[in-house]
Amino acid sequence: MPEMDREAQMSNVERDDLRRILGDIDDVKVAEILALNPSLNDVEEAAAWLIGDRDILARDGRELTSAARAIVELLSTDEEEPPSLR
C-alpha cells in the first residue's frame, strides 16, 4: 500500500465521512463518534462489523480496534440485542 494511502486510512474522519460509510445517523451519534477521534480504518471496520462481515475480519485474524469497538457499541445501543463483539 502506498504511503499516502496508508496515511489517508489513518487520518481523522469528518462528519461527511461518517455518513458516507455508516449511512444516515443522527447528529448526536455523529458527535459521539467524532469525540472518539477514530481513523477512517476504524469507521470502516465498525461498518463491516455492523453489516455482518465479522467473519471476514475474524478470518484475517483481526480484532476490532478499541475505537471501532466503541463505534459498534454506540451504534448498537438502539438495538434490542447488540451484536456480539467477540
Side-chain angles (χ1 to χ4, degrees):
M1 175 181 289
E3 190 63 34
M4 182 178 282
D5 290 341
R6 186 174 317 204
E7 288 176 17
Q9 289 290 315
M10 298 306 291
S11 67
N12 295 335
V13 297
E14 296 180 7
R15 182 177 313 272
D16 291 339
D17 297 321
L18 290 179
R19 290 214 164 101
R20 179 178 47 82
I21 296 167
L22 298 172
D24 187 26
I25 56 176
D26 65 56
D27 289 338
V28 172
K29 296 285 186 190
V30 168
E32 291 173 338
I33 293 169
L34 290 175
L36 298 170
N37 199 26
S39 69
L40 185 59
N41 190 55
D42 294 328
V43 176
E44 289 172 343
E45 284 188 5
W49 191 273
L50 288 165
I51 63 170
D53 287 345
R54 298 176 193 108
D55 294 338
I56 293 171
L57 295 172
R59 184 182 64 220
D60 291 343
R62 296 182 355 216
E63 292 187 23
L64 289 176
T65 63
S66 60
R69 182 180 306 266
I71 293 167
V72 169
E73 289 174 358
L74 281 170
L75 294 178
S76 59
T77 57
D78 294 337
E79 298 175 8
E80 288 182 26
E81 185 175 325
S84 173
L85 294 177
R86 299 248 174 218

